[in-house]
Amino acid sequence: MASGIRLANQAIYEASQSNVKWRGMGTTVAAALLDGSKMSIAHAGDSRIYLIRASSIVQLTDDH
C-alpha cells in the first residue's frame, strides 16, 4: 500500500510540474488494506476512513 501511494504521489507531482495551470495542485488519499483480522490504513489530506459495523459508525482518521 505504501509503495502504491508513493507512486501515485510521484505521478501527481510530476503532472503538476508539467503544466503551469496544474502547479501547486494536490490530492487526498484514504486507503484500507485488510489481511485476515488485521487492517492497515493510510490517509493524507481531508479524506477520512470510517469503520461501519451493525448500527455504529466510528471515525478512524482525522483530517490533516
Side-chain angles (χ1 to χ4, degrees):
M1 182 168 44
S3 63
I5 292 171
R6 279 192 292 275
L7 287 171
N9 181 63
Q10 184 66 32
I12 292 164
Y13 175 77
E14 289 174 4
S16 75
Q17 298 302 302
S18 68
N19 185 322
V20 173
K21 293 180 182 179
W22 296 346
R23 294 271 161 85
M25 81 171 181
T27 189
T28 64
V29 63
L33 175 67
L34 295 174
D35 183 13
S37 63
K38 294 182 181 181
M39 179 174 65
S40 299
I41 59 175
H43 74 105
D46 59 359
S47 295
R48 297 178 183 170
I49 294 177
Y50 294 86
L51 175 63
I52 302 171
R53 278 197 256 187
S55 61
S56 72
I57 300 175
V58 177
Q59 184 177 331
L60 299 179
T61 62
D62 293 314
D63 296 349
H64 288 133

